[in-house]
Amino acid sequence: MKYVEEMKELKNGFLCNYLCHIEHVVKSGNVWPAHYHNYIEILYGISGKYEVILNGKLHKFTKGDLVLINSKEVHQINSCSEEGGQYIVLRFEPEVIYSNMFHNHLHLKYVLPFILETSNHQKVMKKEIIGATFIPDLLYEISNEFQLETFGYELAVQNHIGRIFLWILRYFHKTSTGFMQSTLTDIAFIKRLQPSFDYVLDHFNEEIKATNMASLCNMSSSYFSRTFNEHMGMNFNKYVNYIRISQAEKLLVSTAMNITEVSYAVGFSTTSYFIKLFKSYKNISPKQFQKEFIIMVEAK
């Protein structure tokens, strides 16, 4: 069966790494049909009763309960209350937890349980567990930050997400036997790929061939490509472009370089291809990205 993939949303013209809102439900029945997205998602019940179907398994939650939905995990949400209710929805890209998640296997291991399909961690944490912690207050604070958008709210939201994620990680580590054991194989392969990550970070502005990276990692070209794609969820060329676009973002807002200069500075041979790729990643042209950032800074 094919499920709908929910695309990354825009906020003020930019793709959002994190989003938060309060879902207002007015009756019983389906709230969201089966779908998936790249975001890790947290639901927190305010009122009403719900069921969430995660990869075909039914889970129930109500006021004070927290639901953790993995990145790309198929999920459907139904209301079980005739009068409806409310719940907080917090979504964030895995990279919010560790912005260099593709670069360092020592930190990637903390994120893998929440982006792998094989993860079998606890999905619902009941009110009896969550209620005595700082989690509910932080979720309400994140919701308020999104509504008010006061100066620096992005930093506040990212810090709060980090605290929530760390608490969940430590809770699972303490209470779940064998937590993260299923990721050991992935970690081993990530370690083997680490020389290629390091090389790309140091030489992203140069021509980089997958065949050379295979030799660097002591793998055959076919094995390197297959391993990289399987454990990183993207092929090597896409990863290199991801790094180059990330570096281009920094140059666009921190230097006086024009688009052509930025293009060559991050390793693209043609400006037209850079512009096309930037738009595909960010849903906005590099020039417009630069202008919007200036407008946002001046508005603050």
Side-chain angles (χ1 to χ4, degrees), residues 28-167:
S28 61
N30 181 245
V31 180
W32 285 99
H35 67 288
Y36 66 97
H37 43 65
N38 198 56
Y39 296 111
I40 296 171
E41 183 168 346
I42 287 176
L43 310 177
Y44 178 74
I46 299 175
S47 61
K49 296 180 180 180
Y50 310 89
E51 58 183 24
V52 55
I53 303 172
L54 302 175
N55 283 333
K57 295 183 179 180
L58 179 66
H59 305 268
K60 295 186 177 183
F61 74 99
T62 186
K63 179 180 179 180
D65 296 341
L66 182 144
V67 181
L68 179 61
I69 302 171
N70 275 18
S71 171
K72 296 184 179 179
E73 185 169 27
V74 176
H75 55 287
Q76 174 179 321
I77 304 171
N78 300 320
S79 169
C80 302
S81 302
E82 291 295 332
E83 67 278 13
Q86 297 179 330
Y87 58 88
I88 294 176
V89 180
L90 172 62
R91 291 174 289 168
F92 53 92
E93 289 281 344
E95 63 192 61
V96 171
I97 300 304
Y98 183 64
S99 59
N100 294 320
M101 61 179 290
F102 293 129
H103 311 158
N104 192 319
H105 63 267
L106 296 176
H107 296 84
L108 176 62
K109 65 183 179 183
Y110 298 123
V111 183
L112 279 175
F114 307 100
I115 62 177
L116 294 176
E117 293 182 1
T118 54
S119 298
N120 57 359
H121 57 72
Q122 183 178 344
K123 297 299 183 180
V124 179
M125 282 163 274
K126 305 303 287 184
K127 179 180 179 180
E128 292 75 19
I129 297 170
I130 296 296
T133 72
F134 55 80
I135 303 297
D137 287 341
L138 281 189
L139 288 169
Y140 279 110
E141 284 186 35
I142 291 173
S143 177
N144 288 334
E145 290 285 357
F146 263 90
Q147 290 179 11
L148 300 175
E149 293 189 4
T150 52
F151 181 75
Y153 83 95
E154 302 95 338
L155 293 176
V157 169
Q158 189 159 342
N159 286 335
H160 292 343
I161 291 174
R163 289 188 64 195
I164 292 171
F165 182 83
L166 179 59
W167 185 92

